[in-house]
Amino acid sequence: MGKSRTKRFKRPQFSPTGDCQAEAAAANGTEPEEDDGPAAELLEKLQHPSAEVRECACAGLARLVQQRPALPGLARRDAVRRLGPLLLDPSLAVRETAAGALRNLSACGGFEVCDDMVTKDIMTPLVALLKECSTGLDSNEMSPQEKKDQNRNSIENIANEAVNVLWNICECSSRAVSIFNKEGCLEIVLKYLSRFSTNVDLAISVAYCLQTVTEDNPELLKSFSAPALHVLESAMLSPVNSMEYILLKTLVAGTIWNLKDIIPSKSQAEIINAILKILSEVLEMDAGETVLQMKEAETQRIKTAAETEDTLQNVNGDDLIEDDEMEEIPHRRKVRRKAFISDLLPPTDKELRETIALLTAQQTALEIIVNVCCSEDPTDDEWEELSSSDESDSFMENSLSECSGQLLSPLCLSHEVHTALTNYLIPKKIFEKTAFPNSTAVDVCSRNPSWKPLIRKMSIIQCRALVCLQSLVSLLDVDHLGGPAALQTLAQHLSQLLFSQPDFAKHVDFLEAISSALRALLQTVASKNIPQCMTPDQLLTLCRAGIHSSNVGVRVNVVSILGITGSVLAKEDGTLDTLKTIGCFLLEVATKDPSLVVAGEALDALFDVFADGKEAERASVQIKLLSALKEFQPVFKMKLRKEGRAKYSPDQLCVLDNVKMNLRRFVAYQETVEKKLTT
């Protein structure tokens, strides 16, 4: 109903390896029974005097919480209140495993569990742990080298787990964010982030957390001092280009974008360029080729390790090997414990870990660009013209920390954003990401269980790119998109993507993303009087498939697409039959779709298609549009009155009220049309 607007992306809950194990277990029919005996036994052992027993109990709970059917039993037995004190256990190992259990619980439990964790005061021991880790890292600076390395690693591991708990909870609970603000957690996590050169894993966790807590949080923005901004600046402009650092820099770029309202005026142009330069560099990388290269590197590493082991066996003999195996038992036990409590953590295999980091960085970059586009308001006359700069490295020279006290009111940065998007060829790179994932890479991943989840990640990148494309098409001028010819090429590309998959209607995420992109593209093409490249028959095929989707967004998109197409055809000759087909389709959707949002969009599309034109007038009379709408008008009013407030948001109700008013006016208009053609 009107021009579409892309929704902003919210940060996802932590789940680096995908959905929790419970979903896979349910699919295989192996979910645990409702008996919470294991939970009771493990929770009881949390009070054991032996640190090793407490550690093992936490490790067991870390796995158990990944099984959704186990969560009610854990809640009944007050697992959060029992685990909370162990965050401050005298044993560092217990602290780490307790934090790991809470991390998994917050990741798998969802919003309700996270909110319940705040209610049960998990933030008090969690904040205390974060502060102790910060102090511990400072005190370690004066320790002897051997002790310093050992303790620092343990403390940083604990801090990493704790930051992930903090991130998950703040993602789900506004109360947790409020506590984050009041307890001075910003200073603590920034101290962790400042260690990015020696512990990138911890820095990445902090960057995720910061991107979450800085979004729509004006109270926290006031706490960003010059040193705080300098820490972010240093991390974002790190010269290291490993894939994990690429992810770190992308996340920090997203955080700095969230801080745009406090950026000094003289630094805004440089910052926008620095952010979009990083995002451009991330998108420049070929994810499919990277997957193939890293998988080959892993294969070679494993092969070399096996050859080395065979050589050692031949040299040392069987007796020595047996001794070696005995010596390795404690080590293997420790490794198994780490895997046991960290099933949701990124994989430890170097090549797979780095590949996941790149794919995550690309997904994040696309989400940031969507949010950047959604924050643009072309109607805002408070825009301040700034000098554009392609030299994003000058960001260092005019450090945003030098004048952080000069706070500005929110600005419309359209000019700067448009210029940077174009300069860094971001539309072209996003266009490339909309293609299907590299088929060879998909095949390689499908044959390796540990790499198989990457197929889903590559598909997500494609869908994010399509949503990003929708935003760019809606935001940028036609010239910035490459002109009319480029838009026609884009339409052909989207058509090929869509119809190359016979079962496209089954892939809901893909269908919603590509229909959103098509809707925005057709709106732009129609508004600029550029010839359409997709035929009405192609669009009708899409719409007939999409209208049966369970996803309301898909149904809204396909209805809008038909409305745009029909309004163009209504101005042309020889389109009577097609207009009748479109009119009948939209009328059926308006009167039969269970969602008032979809019905309202269908009515809006009917108003556009049959608003003007001789062919449209003839078609409306032949399909008896007036009588159908007169009959439906009281039904629509009644459904809106009965279902409105219970099912729909205030914004949706406002739009639906406008549709109701326009329906009355359109019926009156159609009466004059019918009278004119029948007399």
Side-chain angles (χ1 to χ4, degrees):
M1 291 168 278
K3 190 171 183 179
S4 62
R5 186 181 182 93
T6 312
K7 293 182 180 179
R8 295 179 66 194
F9 280 105
K10 292 287 187 180
R11 293 304 318 148
Q13 280 186 260
F14 175 77
S15 185
T17 59
D19 296 332
C20 294
Q21 288 183 350
E23 296 180 14
N28 295 328
T30 58
E31 64 265 46
E33 298 176 1
E34 292 188 4
D35 179 19
D36 56 356
E41 183 180 353
L42 290 169
L43 290 170
E44 191 68 30
K45 289 181 178 178
L46 295 179
Q47 310 301 320
H48 198 279
S50 167
E52 186 175 351
V53 173
R54 296 197 301 276
E55 179 186 358
C56 289
C58 289
L61 288 169
R63 284 190 77 175
L64 187 63
V65 297
Q66 296 176 48
Q67 302 172 357
R68 288 191 187 279
L71 295 179
L74 291 167
R76 284 195 303 271
R77 296 182 179 277
D78 222 3
V80 173
R81 291 191 194 275
R82 296 193 188 191
L83 279 167
L86 296 186
L87 292 175
L88 303 172
D89 193 274
S91 166
L92 294 182
V94 173
R95 291 186 180 196
E96 184 179 348
T97 50
L102 289 166
R103 174 183 182 176
N104 290 359
L105 176 62
S106 60
C108 290
F111 287 89
E112 290 185 5
V113 168
C114 287
D115 197 57
D116 184 60
M117 291 173 74
V118 177
T119 300
K120 292 178 177 175
D121 198 28
I122 194 61
M123 292 294 287
T124 296
L126 180 60
V127 172
L129 174 62
L130 290 165
K131 290 179 178 179
E132 283 199 18
C133 288
S134 178
T135 303
L137 291 175
D138 288 340
S139 65
N140 273 339
E141 301 297 339
M142 303 301 295
S143 303
Q145 185 67 37
E146 183 177 355
K147 180 181 178 182
K148 179 177 73 173
D149 290 343
Q150 180 181 358
N151 285 351
R152 179 185 292 170
N153 288 338
S154 297
I155 292 171
E156 288 185 347
N157 289 341
I158 295 169
N160 189 33
E161 297 285 0
V163 168
N164 274 282
V165 178
L166 182 66
W167 167 31
N168 293 344
I169 295 176
C170 287
E171 180 65 37
C172 298
S173 170
S174 59
R175 290 185 296 158
V177 174
S178 179
I179 294 169
F180 182 100
N181 295 345
K182 293 175 182 177
E183 292 295 329
C185 293
L186 177 63
E187 182 180 354
I188 300 170
V189 297
L190 283 172
K191 181 182 289 185
Y192 297 157
L193 180 61
S194 68
R195 310 179 76 89
F196 67 86
S197 60
T198 57
N199 192 331
V200 69
D201 290 337
L202 177 58
I204 287 172
S205 298
V206 171
Y208 270 122
C209 185
L210 284 174
Q211 198 178 12
T212 292
V213 297
T214 55
E215 188 168 13
D216 301 324
N217 188 357
E219 181 183 348
L220 183 64
L221 300 196
K222 301 173 186 176
S223 304
F224 274 88
S225 61
L229 293 170
H230 181 71
V231 171
L232 294 174
E233 175 187 327
S234 299
M236 188 175 78
L237 299 178
S238 168
V240 183
N241 285 317
S242 71
M243 294 181 195
E244 289 167 324
Y245 274 89
I246 287 172
L247 173 58
L248 172 63
K249 290 189 281 188
T250 304
L251 292 167
V252 175
T255 298
I256 292 177
W257 176 259
N258 290 343
L259 304 178
K260 62 185 179 299
D261 291 345
I262 65 167
I263 300 302
S265 58
K266 75 174 188 178
S267 298
Q268 285 187 351
E270 289 85 357
I271 291 166
I272 291 170
N273 274 277
I275 290 172
L276 291 176
K277 180 182 178 185
I278 287 171
L279 303 184
S280 175
E281 290 171 349
V282 172
L283 297 176
E284 182 76 31
M285 302 183 71
D286 189 322
E289 286 299 319
T290 299
V291 168
L292 294 173
Q293 292 169 8
M294 299 305 285
K295 185 65 186 74
E296 178 62 24
E298 180 192 69
T299 301
Q300 290 300 320
R301 175 177 57 80
I302 293 172
K303 180 180 178 182
T304 301
E307 291 173 350
T308 302
E309 183 177 350
D310 290 342
T311 301
L312 290 175
Q313 287 179 352
N314 293 334
V315 171
N316 295 330
D318 293 338
D319 293 339
L320 184 57
I321 293 298
E322 289 178 5
D323 291 341
D324 287 344
E325 288 174 352
M326 292 178 64
E327 291 174 4
E328 285 294 325
I329 289 174
H331 173 71
R332 285 206 299 267
R333 180 181 179 188
K334 182 177 182 182
V335 170
R336 191 170 66 233
R337 177 187 67 78
K338 294 287 287 183
F340 192 57
I341 67 165
S342 306
D343 287 339
L344 290 185
L345 299 184
T348 54
D349 294 329
K350 180 178 182 294
E351 296 84 4
L352 181 55
R353 181 187 183 91
E354 291 189 4
T355 307
I356 289 174
L358 174 63
L359 295 177
T360 306
Q362 292 196 339
Q363 177 183 335
T364 303
L366 292 165
E367 291 171 357
I368 293 171
I369 292 170
V370 170
N371 290 347
V372 167
C373 293
C374 288
S375 69
E376 295 300 299
D377 184 2
T379 64
D380 192 342
D381 55 9
E382 201 178 1
W383 179 73
E384 175 178 320
E385 186 169 345
L386 302 169
S387 59
S388 179
S389 170
D390 295 340
E391 299 295 329
S392 59
D393 291 337
S394 66
F395 181 42
M396 288 293 289
E397 298 171 13
N398 297 310
S399 169
L400 59 121
S401 59
E402 290 177 4
C403 47
S404 60
Q406 303 175 18
L407 304 185
L408 302 177
S409 59
L411 300 176
C412 179
L413 301 175
S414 295
H415 175 71
E416 287 301 318
V417 171
H418 290 196
T419 302
L421 286 169
T422 306
N423 287 346
Y424 293 119
L425 303 177
I426 286 179
K428 177 178 180 292
K429 293 170 183 177
I430 291 172
F431 175 85
E432 293 168 353
K433 296 297 177 189
T434 61
F436 287 114
N438 183 311
S439 58
T440 307
V442 170
D443 182 59
V444 167
C445 291
S446 67
R447 289 186 274 108
N448 295 270
S450 59
W451 288 71
K452 196 169 184 178
L454 271 61
I455 299 174
R456 171 65 177 158
K457 286 185 173 292
M458 289 187 281
S459 296
I460 289 174
I461 289 172
Q462 182 195 25
C463 290
R464 293 292 188 269
L466 287 165
V467 175
C468 208
L469 188 64
Q470 173 202 355
S471 298
L472 291 178
V473 169
S474 301
L475 177 69
L476 297 180
D477 295 333
V478 172
D479 290 341
H480 284 147
L481 294 168
L487 292 184
Q488 290 181 322
T489 300
L490 177 57
Q492 291 172 345
H493 169 71
L494 294 179
S495 175
Q496 289 169 357
L497 284 179
L498 185 63
F499 295 110
S500 64
Q501 286 201 124
D503 59 345
F504 66 83
K506 296 180 181 178
H507 304 282
V508 177
D509 292 342
F510 170 76
L511 184 56
E512 182 176 19
I514 197 167
S515 60
S516 296
L518 271 172
R519 176 182 181 177
L521 177 62
L522 292 173
Q523 283 175 335
T524 299
V525 167
S527 66
K528 303 299 181 182
N529 294 319
I530 299 170
Q532 301 276 358
C533 283
M534 294 185 69
T535 67
D537 286 343
Q538 286 179 315
L539 294 173
L540 281 166
T541 300
L542 163 64
C543 295
R544 288 185 178 117
I547 204 62
H548 298 294
S549 173
S550 60
N551 185 300
V552 170
V554 171
R555 304 206 302 276
V556 166
N557 284 336
V558 299
V559 164
S560 178
I561 285 170
L562 269 195
I564 296 164
T565 303
S567 64
V568 172
L569 294 175
K571 299 178 178 67
E572 300 175 1
D573 294 330
T575 57
L576 177 64
D577 289 341
T578 304
L579 288 173
K580 287 166 60 178
T581 302
I582 291 174
C584 290
F585 181 93
L586 293 174
L587 194 56
E588 184 175 6
V589 174
T591 55
K592 294 184 179 179
D593 196 285
S595 168
L596 279 178
V597 171
V598 179
E601 189 72 43
L603 287 170
D604 209 38
L606 282 168
F607 304 157
D608 290 340
V609 174
F610 296 100
D612 192 21
K614 292 181 179 180
E615 295 285 65
E617 290 179 351
R618 291 172 58 204
S620 67
V621 171
Q622 291 184 25
I623 66 173
K624 300 180 180 179
L625 181 61
L626 176 60
S627 60
L629 290 179
K630 277 186 171 181
E631 183 180 345
F632 180 62
Q633 193 172 10
V635 177
F636 184 75
K637 288 181 180 178
M638 182 190 66
K639 288 183 70 175
L640 185 57
R641 187 170 58 252
K642 289 180 63 177
E643 302 176 10
R645 294 187 179 181
K647 290 187 177 181
Y648 303 103
S649 69
D651 287 344
Q652 289 172 326
L653 287 175
C654 181
V655 174
L656 289 169
D657 279 337
N658 284 334
V659 172
K660 180 180 71 174
M661 182 167 45
N662 289 336
L663 176 58
R664 184 176 68 250
R665 293 172 179 170
F666 186 74
V667 166
Y669 165 71
Q670 282 295 310
E671 287 175 341
T672 63
V673 169
E674 191 163 300
K675 183 182 294 185
K676 180 177 71 173
L677 294 181
T678 55
T679 56

